[in-house]
Structure formats: C-alpha cells, structure tokens
Amino acid sequence: MRTALTTYACDWVNALVAFVYPEVCQLCGAARATPAQCYVCGACRAAIRFIEPPFCSRCGLPVSGEITHAFECANCRDMRWQFVSARSAVVAREEVLELLHRYKYGRAFWFEPLLAGFLVQCARRELRSEDWDWIVPVPLYPARQREREFNQAERLAKWLSAATGIPLITRCLRRVLPTPTQTLLSREQRLANVRKAFALDARARELQACRIVLVDDVFTTGATTGACASVLRSGGSGDVCVWTVARGI
Ligand SMILES: [Zn+2]
Ligand SMILES: [Zn+2]
C-alpha cells in the first residue's frame, strides 16, 4: 500500500526524471516526444527511410529503376560473399547514425526499442517464412565490450530472437583481434583489418550444418559481417544471412 510518503517520493522522482529528460525530441530538440516514443518525434521518425526494393539480392544495396528480376550488383560479383543475403531495415543517414551513435557510445538505451523495432518490423516476416536455426550477433572484442559494458549487436539480436522465436546463441563466434574504428578507412583497409579478427569457440559445434542469421547494428562495406560469415561457413555452418538495423548506401 502506498503511503503519503512514498507517493510524495514517486512524484518527486518523476519530476526529477522529467527535469533531466524533458519530453522533447532528442534529435531536433524542438517537437514534443515522450518516453513511449523513445524521445524521437513524429517528424524525425518520418525522415527515416526504410530500404525498399529493388535492391541487390546479395548485399541488399538499393538501386533506382524498375527492376523486377533478381540481380547482383557489380561489387557483389567481385566480393564472393559467404553470406547468402544481407538485408537492413533503414538507410544509415544522419538521423539514424546519430541515434545509433548515442545508443552505442552514450548508453542512450531509450532509443533501443525504436532501433530494434525497425529491425524486427522488416526482418520478422522474412525470417519466419524461411527456416533458420540460430541468431548469432557480431561479437565485440572483449576489451571493448568491457569498456562499453554491452554489445549492441547482442542486445538488438535479443529483440529479433524474441520476435521470431529463432534462438539466440552467443560466445560461439569470437572477436580475437581488436579492430580500430573503421569509419575512416577505405574498403580495402577494412577488409584487411577484419579478415583475421574472428574465430570460432568450442561452442560453435552447435552451429554445424545450421542455418544462421547474423545480426549487427550497421552494414557499411560488409567487411565485418562478410568476415563473420566466412568464419562460420568454414567452421561447417549451413547458409548464413545477415540482418542489420541500418545500411550505408
Ligand atoms: Zn524531432
Ligand atoms: Zn550487392
């Protein structure tokens, strides 16, 4: 039973929370946005672009034009990716990158339902209509995970697992080399960096001949997810597909 004192304390806490986090959109700082809206207003959400066909059947790169048949882009024909497909929910533009950045580096967990929601909304139907055995998040290097205290790919993968019923498995794919921040590197440099960064653990026995959904927050050049898919496939897994929240285009 609530006493007058606890009611007073709750009111006080709510007032403090509202003071620290006013109900204002954290992207534009102008419109109202409630905690239930993850502090992102309707106008800012409307600026977020979902990825729609036509896109490369392998890497999911959207292209303009009236293409109705399945096709692979020139880059994919060169790359010989070990994943069967890579798909993303939204375009990695300014607003989305800002949300992801603050989520990852600023622990802005209130954005998580929104970001995971994009992924679930786009991936659920496709994954349910196919036959996948495990969801595997792209791992962080242990020292980086200790410093950040969480792996965003793993947290997003949990949402996808809950929405699809496909079980999540962690600690089978490991990051064995730290890779520096990749944003400023060329494609060739990124590929060289990540090629040897991943390895399988004893637990990866579970993945033998299994079809795997690899999950990450962003697909940029495909170097990271491509390297993970190669390691999984050479360890004896079945097909690997990739799902990310956002994709650079
Ligand atoms: Zn806004
Ligand atoms: Zn492609």
Side-chain angles (χ1 to χ4, degrees), residues 5 10 47 107 118 132 171 184 219 223 226 230 249:
L5 185 64
C10 285
R107 306 176 63 85
F118 295 147
W132 297 98
R171 303 193 309 278
L184 300 174
F219 183 104
S230 294
I249 60 169

Side-chain angles (χ1 to χ4, degrees), residues 25-31 40-45:
C25 173
Q26 294 196 0
L27 285 181
C28 64
V40 180
C41 77
C44 287
R45 281 167 188 245

Side-chain angles (χ1 to χ4, degrees), residues 87-90 119 215-219 225 242-247:
R87 297 288 179 270
S88 309
V90 297
L119 178 65
V215 171
D216 206 358
D217 53 345
V218 188
F219 183 104
T225 45
V242 174
W243 269 97
T244 67
V245 173
R247 191 198 199 290

Side-chain angles (χ1 to χ4, degrees), residues 58 72 75-83 226 230:
R58 179 76 64 166
E72 259 187 36
N75 184 45
C76 283
R77 288 195 295 269
D78 283 353
M79 295 302 297
R80 299 168 183 271
W81 297 118
Q82 293 298 303
F83 49 73
S230 294

Side-chain angles (χ1 to χ4, degrees), residues 51-94:
I51 292 178
E52 281 166 3
F55 45 66
C56 167
S57 59
R58 179 76 64 166
C59 74
L61 178 74
V63 293
S64 50
E66 292 283 309
I67 303 168
T68 50
H69 59 276
F71 71 96
E72 259 187 36
C73 71
N75 184 45
C76 283
R77 288 195 295 269
D78 283 353
M79 295 302 297
R80 299 168 183 271
W81 297 118
Q82 293 298 303
F83 49 73
V84 287
S85 65
R87 297 288 179 270
S88 309
V90 297
V91 179
R93 284 200 307 196
E94 208 180 331

Side-chain angles (χ1 to χ4, degrees), residues 96-137:
V96 172
L97 290 174
E98 173 74 18
L99 291 173
L100 281 167
H101 187 89
R102 287 167 63 181
Y103 169 56
K104 275 159 75 168
Y105 303 109
R107 306 176 63 85
F109 292 125
W110 48 89
F111 294 143
E112 188 176 271
L114 181 66
L115 294 166
F118 295 147
L119 178 65
V120 164
Q121 184 183 334
C122 295
R124 179 167 43 195
R125 195 173 346 122
E126 280 202 38
L127 292 178
R128 273 186 177 165
S129 69
E130 299 159 350
D131 197 16
W132 297 98
D133 300 301
W134 293 107
I135 292 180
V136 174

